[in-house]
Amino acid sequence: MSVDCNPTLPVARLRLGYPFVFGVLLVGAVLIGVTWPAHLLAQESTQDVSEDKPAVAVPTWIVINAKIMTMDGDSIENGRIVIAGEQIQAVGGMDLPIPDGVPQYDASGLVILPGLIDMQSKLWMSDSPEDSGASDGSQSAVDGLDPFASDWNDVVSEGITTVYVQPSRRGSLSGLGAAVSVVPKADGSLSIHSPAAGLQMSLGTSRSNRERMQRFEALKKSLQGLVEYKKKKDEYEAFQKKKADSEEKADKSKGSEAKDKDAKDSETKDGETKDGDKGNSDKGKEVNKPESARPRSGRGRPAAGDRSSVGEEKPVQDEKESDKDKEKDKDKEKAPTKPELDAVKERLLGVLSGAIPVRLELHDANDYHFASKLWKDFENVQWIIEGADALDSARETMADKGLPLVLGPWLDLSSNPSDAKERCKNWRALTEHYQGVVTLGTFQNGARSSRTLREHMAIAVANGLDPKVVLEGVTIAAARLLGIADRLGSIAPGKRADLIGIAGDPLDTSAPVTLVMVGGVFHKKSEPMKTAPTIASRATPVEFPSTLPARYELRSQRVHLADGVVPATLRIEDGKITSVQPGEALAVDVAIPRFDVGTSMITPGLVSSHATLGLDALTRGGADSDSLFLNSSDITIRGTQQQSLLEAGGVYTLALANAPTNTFSGEVSMVATDHRGSVLKKSIATKIVLSEASRTAERFPSSLAGQLKLVRDVLDGDIARSRLFIPDVTLDQLTQAKKEAAKRLVGGEQVALFQIADDAELNSALNLIERYHLKAALMGAREWKPYASRILASGASIIAMPISGDDYAWGIDELVACSQQGIPVFFAANTAEQLRTTASSCVHSGMSATLAMNAMTYGPAQLFSLPAESAGLSVNTAADLIVWTDTPLNLSGGPVALIRNGKPLSSEVHP
């Protein structure tokens, strides 16, 4: 109890208790500090890691019910693609779950592919870098890109989403090419997938061997200079690294010596303390040493100016340090000189390691000879070959080498495609057993020409390339050569959502592109198709006999008659069609052999509704702009190259016209492309030119107003006397011929074929048609829709001019719109490729396939009032027909058999 009453006890407890309590708390804190962070900090760390992880992207679109050609594996029927932002998140079949609340795109009836890649394009390129060549590799395609160009809209609408562009091919070593997205970013800037996707290099085209040698030496020198620059740079950098490592090692060694010295000093100090007598230390003893025995300066070295050490033997330590100094001086002498920085070579260093491939253009065996030396001298360079279109004797060795190829152009829409025919033939021979990678490019000068990439693909297939190789050559194989396969080229999770949808076979040019998505954003989106897409099978090409008997039958599931495509059997006797039996096949008559071509299509020979065949120079100009008396049949096409190419391509008939250099250019004739150049009808139309092509300042008329006056005078019968220097009798005969031609025009016996270009000329032509009630056809304009109602009311037709790769897409859209309003549309062409490409493009853009086919077969006979038996597949007509692998609207097919008067023209079977 006393304890409880002791007033000092609480104080004592306080004095003893607080330190104790504090100690307990401190120990507890330490223990807790050991165990608590182990789980608590781990939890915090887990939370931090989860916060650092990127959030799972939320799906923004799901494509369903698609036939997916991933190009990196098997195709998926009824597939699904989940897109999250710019990327593909998942790809699968019907078992792939669909998240709730995500918008869906029904791709029923479509084949979904990765966006197509044009391996040689001019899209986005400004004029300056593409028109100037270089020989030092100093140019860069990125520097020449024009972000303000609007051509990309036409290109992306056809399913091309990436292009490779490079500086001019005119230079021997122009510079770096780039892989660029067709679609710009939201801010208007260009999306560059790779700024250094290739280095342009060329041995030149159509050059002598001496010039090739000069280019070869220049290219070799450039590459060797790059090798030497890299060697010097590597040596210098290696020396600098070695020097830095040596200095670092020396610093560590000095640090170790300093530690040893400190330790010795510490021992010395401890020894002095233990002795307790500083006078007995070594330092103290040193005082009693003679002056000459003491060091004069530093540690063990004589002081400066001290002569007492001269002639004395140096310590061993001094000898070692001297050797080190000598070694340092020796290394300093060996140090490589720092190379002068070369910005161009710095950009091209990736070439030597293969990181930047070289796009080497070569054409023939001579080029190959020089190129093979480069391949041998620079083995580590990744070589990609362009051209390779006339290798001949070097073809087999090139195939054995197996270097990647970029081939094109396959399609030539010029009026003389003979060079393209030869190129395609050579490429077919080269790639028949080629083991290397094959890709495709359009190789055109126009920025919008990339939009024809599918046509180039189709022509490549028609010339023997495997369809799988072609499709890979514009998708995954192309992406690999460009070094962007980790992002593009196939449909796979993690890749950029560049997708296209085609309503049919991707290699059928008449099948439209109805879906385009670039970077997860739709740029074209149509309503779902009702029918499933069909992809043509080319595994078993149709065979056809090289000779046929006088009497035989042809059977096909697809025969193009006047009212459409139906199953039918044609009986042919003595060069004429004697029977046409639509529907199911009749019983076989053992006396008449039957040839069943299955689903291959049978059509009449194709017809061009206007052609000049490049013979313009023969009828160009003159003293008079009124050449109404001229007739195009006076110019024979018999035996010409144009005639043979047309016939081989399936064009059997054409409306041959004179050049558009006179207001009245003369009468148009219907001629055959047979070996005789037969004239089927001498006069089917009169060509009237209101465009500036027929105006000159040196003669009347020199303006549209003058042209209209001339035309009205002639149609009114007021024929001006010719100013030609010929006898009066001949002048009278010419004047009479003009009057008769004018009467046929006004009386509606003959077509007035107006060639115009702009709105004013089209409006003027319609005024003339309406005033004189002419049976007319119009050609040459690009914009038709504003005048569609007047054209329809006048009964006039439209003849579409051949398209070019650089045409705007809206030109075809205008033709399709007029066709859908009921205006007859026909096609002008100087080649089979022009005819089929224009028709295919119209169907691709919405024209009825039946109308397009009729425009190339039965329609022209009706337009030009030809006898019914002169064209088509009907009884008593000549057995002039063609067996096709598929419809002529599909450029990936071609003629299997060309038959005139019941006899095959060629035994060559096209793929």
Side-chain angles (χ1 to χ4, degrees):
M1 297 297 294
S2 61
V3 173
D4 294 335
C5 297
N6 191 346
T8 61
L9 185 60
V11 176
R13 286 178 178 174
L14 183 62
R15 291 175 180 172
L16 294 175
Y18 283 162
F20 177 79
V21 172
F22 181 80
V24 172
L25 292 175
L26 181 61
V27 172
V30 172
L31 293 176
I32 293 173
V34 173
T35 58
W36 181 34
H39 64 274
L40 184 60
L41 294 180
Q43 182 179 358
E44 292 175 352
S45 176
T46 302
Q47 291 174 350
D48 291 340
V49 170
S50 65
E51 290 176 359
D52 291 339
K53 285 184 178 179
V56 178
V58 178
T60 49
W61 276 101
I62 298 178
V63 178
I64 62 172
N65 300 328
K67 178 179 178 62
I68 304 172
M69 299 180 72
T70 64
M71 303 313 302
D72 213 5
D74 296 332
S75 297
I76 304 174
E77 299 289 344
N78 295 320
R80 296 172 178 174
I81 306 172
V82 180
I83 294 113
E86 293 187 355
Q87 289 188 330
I88 298 170
Q89 191 175 77
V91 182
M94 296 291 289
D95 56 342
L96 184 68
I98 299 177
D100 295 333
V102 180
Q104 301 178 10
Y105 177 81
D106 188 351
S108 298
L110 299 184
V111 177
I112 303 297
L113 294 157
L116 305 183
I117 302 173
D118 185 354
M119 287 292 281
Q120 188 60 266
S121 173
K122 288 298 180 185
L123 182 67
W124 295 121
M125 293 298 291
S126 60
D127 294 336
S128 53
E130 70 174 4
D131 287 339
S132 59
S135 58
D136 59 355
S138 58
Q139 294 182 338
S140 173
V142 173
D143 297 334
L145 298 178
D146 179 9
F148 300 103
S150 60
D151 304 310
W152 65 272
N153 290 286
D154 285 351
V155 176
V156 75
S157 66
E158 296 303 323
I160 296 84
T161 59
T162 302
V163 293
Y164 169 80
V165 294
Q166 68 181 22
S168 175
R169 296 169 65 195
R170 298 174 184 173
S172 59
L173 189 65
S174 289
L176 295 174
V180 186
S181 175
V182 170
V183 178
K185 297 178 182 178
D187 61 0
S189 62
L190 300 183
S191 179
I192 300 173
H193 298 311
S194 173
L199 173 65
Q200 181 274 341
M201 188 178 288
S202 174
L203 289 168
T205 58
S206 303
R207 294 178 178 270
S208 66
N209 280 341
R210 180 174 180 177
E211 290 174 311
R212 286 190 181 91
M213 172 64 79
Q214 291 172 343
R215 280 213 171 191
F216 161 73
E217 294 293 347
L219 293 176
K220 182 178 179 180
K221 184 178 179 181
S222 297
L223 288 175
Q224 191 60 46
L226 190 61
V227 170
E228 292 172 0
Y229 177 81
K230 185 177 186 302
K231 182 180 178 181
K232 291 180 180 179
K233 180 181 178 181
D234 290 346
E235 288 177 351
Y236 179 77
E237 291 179 349
F239 173 79
Q240 292 298 322
K241 185 177 184 304
K242 183 179 178 181
K243 180 180 178 182
D245 293 343
S246 177
E247 291 176 351
E248 182 180 358
K249 187 175 181 181
D251 290 342
K252 289 181 179 179
S253 176
K254 288 181 180 179
S256 177
E257 291 177 0
K259 287 181 179 179
D260 293 343
K261 178 179 178 302
D262 292 341
K264 289 180 181 179
D265 292 344
S266 176
E267 290 177 1
T268 302
K269 186 177 288 187
D270 291 344
E272 292 174 352
T273 304
K274 288 178 181 179
D275 291 341
D277 186 2
K278 293 182 180 181
N280 294 330
S281 66
D282 291 338
K283 186 175 181 181
K285 293 176 182 179
E286 190 175 320
V287 176
N288 299 323
K289 287 184 179 181
E291 187 70 21
S292 61
R294 278 185 269 164
R296 268 62 172 175
S297 172
R299 298 182 59 189
R301 291 181 180 271
D306 190 350
R307 299 179 179 270
S308 64
S309 61
V310 177
E312 296 181 1
E313 185 177 353
K314 293 183 178 180
V316 176
Q317 182 178 1
D318 289 351
E319 291 180 0
K320 290 182 179 180
E321 290 179 357
S322 176
D323 291 340
K324 288 181 179 180
D325 292 339
K326 290 180 180 179
E327 193 67 28
K328 288 180 180 179
D329 293 339
K330 187 177 180 181
D331 291 341
K332 190 174 182 180
E333 292 175 1
K334 291 183 179 179
T337 305
K338 182 178 180 180
E340 185 178 350
L341 181 66
D342 189 320
V344 173
K345 287 185 172 63
E346 286 291 328
R347 286 196 307 183
L348 303 183
L349 285 177
V351 169
L352 299 179
S353 64
I356 302 175
V358 172
R359 303 279 288 256
L360 176 62
E361 180 186 1
L362 61 87
H363 293 277
D364 55 26
N366 290 325
D367 289 344
Y368 179 87
H369 169 73
F370 291 111
S372 60
K373 293 181 179 181
L374 291 174
W375 305 335
K376 183 178 179 180
D377 293 340
F378 306 97
E379 294 181 348
N380 292 330
V381 172
Q382 172 62 66
W383 298 96
I384 299 175
I385 306 305
E386 295 181 356
D389 51 359
L391 292 176
D392 296 330
S393 60
R395 187 178 298 128
E396 291 185 7
T397 53
M398 180 70 192
D400 293 339
K401 186 71 176 175
L403 293 173
L405 299 176
V406 182
L407 303 181
W410 292 86
L411 176 67
D412 186 351
L413 293 174
S414 68
S415 295
N416 187 9
S418 57
D419 292 341
K421 291 286 186 184
E422 191 65 23
R423 282 199 307 268
C424 293
K425 179 181 177 182
N426 290 331
W427 287 333
R428 180 178 180 181
L430 173 63
T431 58
E432 188 173 5
H433 303 293
Y434 202 78
Q435 298 301 314
V437 175
V438 179
T439 62
L440 283 75
T442 55
F443 287 85
Q444 300 296 303
N445 291 326
R448 288 182 297 277
S449 296
S450 287
R451 65 188 293 267
T452 63
L453 180 60
R454 285 185 64 207
E455 280 76 9
H456 288 262
M457 294 162 56
I459 297 295
V461 171
N463 281 277
L465 259 69
D466 186 287
K468 183 175 183 292
V469 170
V470 170
L471 287 172
E472 289 179 347
V474 293
T475 52
I476 185 62
R480 287 170 181 157
L481 290 190
L482 296 176
I484 54 176
D486 58 328
R487 289 159 281 164
L488 298 168
S490 64
I491 300 177
K495 291 198 173 184
R496 180 176 158 102
D498 284 9
L499 308 172
I500 65 171
I502 300 176
D505 187 345
L507 294 169
D508 180 356
T509 49
S510 65
V513 176
T514 62
L515 164 68
V516 178
M517 172 182 282
V518 180
V521 177
F522 282 105
H523 289 271
K524 195 172 188 179
K525 184 171 62 171
S526 66
E527 295 297 323
M529 307 292 291
K530 295 181 180 179
T531 58
T534 57
I535 298 179
S537 174
R538 300 175 179 85
T540 54
V542 176
E543 295 185 1
F544 202 82
S546 58
T547 60
L548 292 170
R551 300 176 66 206
Y552 62 91
E553 289 181 347
L554 277 180
R555 171 73 187 173
S556 173
Q557 294 298 314
R558 295 193 295 171
V559 178
H560 181 62
L561 301 178
D563 53 355
V565 177
V566 296
T569 303
L570 306 177
R571 179 171 293 182
I572 299 169
E573 301 182 54
D574 298 326
K576 288 193 174 184
I577 299 175
T578 59
S579 173
V580 179
Q581 295 292 335
E584 296 300 323
L586 301 176
V588 177
D589 186 342
V590 293
I592 302 179
R594 176 179 293 175
F595 301 95
D596 194 330
V597 297
T599 58
S600 295
M601 182 175 282
I602 297 176
T603 73
L606 305 184
V607 183
S608 170
S609 295
H610 178 273
T612 59
L613 300 187
L615 304 175
D616 298 14
L618 299 177
T619 57
R620 181 172 295 153
D624 289 334
S625 190
D626 178 4
S627 298
L628 193 57
F629 57 89
L630 291 179
N631 190 284
S632 59
S633 64
D634 296 332
I635 304 172
T636 180
I637 66 169
R638 181 176 57 198
T640 63
Q641 188 179 46
Q642 290 91 339
Q643 171 261 319
S644 59
L645 288 175
L646 281 162
E647 187 176 55
V651 179
Y652 283 3
T653 314
L654 54 86
L656 184 62
N658 294 325
T661 51
N662 296 321
T663 303
F664 280 99
S665 67
E667 293 185 314
V668 180
S669 301
M670 185 65 74
V671 300
T673 60
D674 58 14
H675 65 282
R676 297 185 301 272
S678 303
V679 178
L680 304 180
K681 189 174 181 180
K682 187 175 178 64
S683 181
I684 60 172
T686 296
K687 185 173 177 180
I688 305 172
V689 182
L690 298 182
S691 68
E692 63 179 359
S694 63
R695 303 174 202 153
T696 62
E698 294 79 16
R699 69 176 186 185
F700 176 82
S702 60
S703 64
L704 177 59
Q707 288 174 312
L708 293 174
K709 181 180 186 306
L710 175 60
V711 174
R712 286 195 297 266
D713 288 345
V714 170
L715 295 179
D716 289 335
D718 185 9
I719 308 296
R721 192 173 178 82
S722 176
R723 290 179 291 175
L724 295 174
F725 293 100
I726 56 178
D728 290 341
V729 175
T730 305
L731 286 175
D732 292 338
Q733 291 175 347
L734 291 179
T735 302
Q736 186 60 34
K738 291 179 181 181
K739 288 182 178 181
E740 292 176 358
K743 288 180 181 179
R744 289 194 295 270
L745 285 174
V746 176
E749 300 175 20
Q750 198 174 84
V751 175
L753 178 55
F754 287 92
Q755 182 166 337
I756 41 86
D758 57 32
D759 285 356
E761 295 160 4
L762 176 53
N763 182 65
S764 299
L766 287 172
N767 290 338
L768 291 171
I769 293 169
E770 294 165 349
R771 175 176 177 177
Y772 293 97
H773 306 288
L774 302 175
K775 179 181 180 182
L778 299 159
M779 60 180 290
R782 296 297 181 187
E783 190 172 5
W784 299 100
K785 285 199 296 185
Y787 300 90
S789 58
R790 287 184 65 188
I791 296 172
L792 183 63
S794 70
S797 302
I798 294 175
I799 298 178
M801 296 292 284
I803 68 169
S804 69
D806 205 33
D807 283 344
Y808 287 100
W810 56 261
I812 292 293
D813 295 338
E814 296 272 322
L815 292 171
V816 172
C818 289
S819 175
Q820 291 172 344
Q821 293 187 42
I823 300 172
V825 175
F826 303 95
F827 305 112
N830 287 312
T831 69
E833 288 75 16
Q834 288 178 346
L835 183 67
R836 294 177 60 198
T837 302
T838 306
S840 179
S841 297
C842 286
V843 174
H844 179 100
S845 297
M847 181 182 285
S848 162
T850 299
L851 290 178
M853 283 296 302
N854 282 338
M856 293 191 294
T857 52
Y858 296 92
Q862 300 172 359
L863 172 63
F864 297 119
S865 302
L866 299 179
E869 64 273 10
S870 65
L873 302 179
S874 57
V875 177
N876 294 326
T877 62
D880 293 344
L881 53 90
I882 304 171
V883 180
W884 304 83
T885 55
D886 194 20
T887 168
L889 298 169
N890 181 1
L891 299 182
S892 66
V896 173
L898 302 167
I899 299 173
R900 272 197 188 270
N901 296 317
K903 297 179 181 180
L905 291 175
S906 173
S907 60
E908 181 180 3
V909 177
H910 296 270

